[in-house]
Every structure is written in structure tokens, then in C-alpha cells.
Amino acid sequence: MDKEIYRRPPVGTHPPNLFEGYKSTPGRAPRRTPLVLPHTLSELTGPLLANERLDALENDLTHQRMAEPLGERIVVHGRVLDEDGKPVARALVEIWQCNAAGRYHHPGDQHDAPLDPNFYGGGRARSDDEGRYHFITIKPGAYPWKNHYNAWRPAHIHFSLFGPAFATRLITQMYFPDDPLLAFDPIYNSVPEDARHRLQAAFDMDSTRPEWALAYRFDIVLRGRNATPME
């Protein structure tokens, strides 16, 4: 990648590769100086995602199965922005999450909570010309994850953002405002303190649908001093 184009993120924005309280990071943290791998034709040309067609209900996780899932229905929306606050159009936004009982629809999740046959927990949307995206889903539950004694993950939704190709993928997590479990979560607390608030969604009364669903706003800033922390 051209050094004149690539700009490293400001210090204090993203979590470190190695964080003592987060037990799985030693296996992911590099022990040697990383090698620069020049992009090849595969990274530069595809697979291209800008024109991938999305099905009508991919952004509504409550209407993807035979019936509506159990739990508190919520609207999650926001904008994808660059470092200057300008909208990023046509970004592919993907989410995944556990159900209202705190269990993922995945064979790797075997903890003692019920599966919901009407909730698979995955959805996709594309930002519009103003950078706006929109999902309808169920508020996820907290769940134990055995990182340490009595470890519980706060309610959260995983976000994945793609530019034109897989090589442009960024991943982050959205948390709910003032969740008491945030103070005990090493993943959240691995993020530099001044940047943690950017991972909390804002309750959005204006976008709440009366007698139907509460709403949360989560803007995602891709670069710059106000960048959303990424994994």
C-alpha cells in the first residue's frame, strides 16, 4: 500500500493487540515485527461488493423466519462517516448478535440458554447517499464467556463494514448506553478510555416507533481523531 495514501490511526483510538485482561489476545498479538505484504490482483480487483444485491428483509432480523422472535424489538440506525463528517455511501454494513436470552445461533455456543428458532441473529444493509443505515432487530442479552471468574459480556451487537472489497473490511461492536456490565468487560475496557464512549449507542427517542420499538443511534466514523474503535 502506498505510504503516501495510508495514514496510521491516531494513538489512543483502537485497542491494543495484546491486553492482559482479555485472555485470548496473546494468541493474536504479533511477537515479531509485521511484514508488509503488497496487494496482489486478488486484493485489488475483488471480490467486489459495491453492487451485491441485498434481499428485502436482510436488514429486518425479526422477519427472516416463520414467526417473530422473542424479546424486545429495537431499531438500530446511524450513519457511516469519514474523518471530516462526510457520508460514506454504498458501504455494506453487516451485523450479528445473540438472541434475547444471550445465546448465538451457532454450534460453538452451548451455554445454558434457550435458542430461538425464529432468530438467527444476522443481517445486512447498505448505506444510502447520506451514509444512513437501518436495522430492525431484538435487543441481545448478556451471556457468560469464561474469560475470568463470573465473566459476563454486556449486551452488544457486532458490526462489520465493507468498502468495495473484502480487503477493506472493518469490525467493531456496539454497546448499549450505561450498561452496568461495561465496567467489568475486558473487551470494552481494552479500548483507550477516551474512545470508549464511541462504542456506546445513543438512545434515540425521536426515532422510537410508538407502541412498537425503542430506537438507538450508532454513528460509525471510519478514520481520524473521532474514529470508532475497531477490532
Side-chain angles (χ1 to χ4, degrees), residues 61 93-97 121-124 135 137 157-160:
L61 283 66
V93 183
E94 177 184 61
I95 65 170
W96 67 96
Q97 62 171 96
R124 299 191 301 174
F135 289 98
T137 186
I157 297 176
H158 298 269
F159 274 74
S160 171

Side-chain angles (χ1 to χ4, degrees), residues 59-106:
N59 71 326
D60 186 348
L61 283 66
T62 67
H63 284 93
Q64 295 177 345
R65 306 303 299 165
M66 298 296 292
E68 290 203 38
L70 298 173
E72 177 189 344
R73 187 190 298 114
I74 60 173
V75 174
V76 176
H77 73 104
R79 300 178 73 199
V80 182
L81 305 167
D82 68 12
E83 68 268 38
D84 298 317
K86 296 179 180 178
V88 177
R90 306 292 296 166
L92 183 61
V93 183
E94 177 184 61
I95 65 170
W96 67 96
Q97 62 171 96
C98 64
N99 65 20
R103 186 168 176 183
Y104 288 93
H105 198 285
H106 188 279

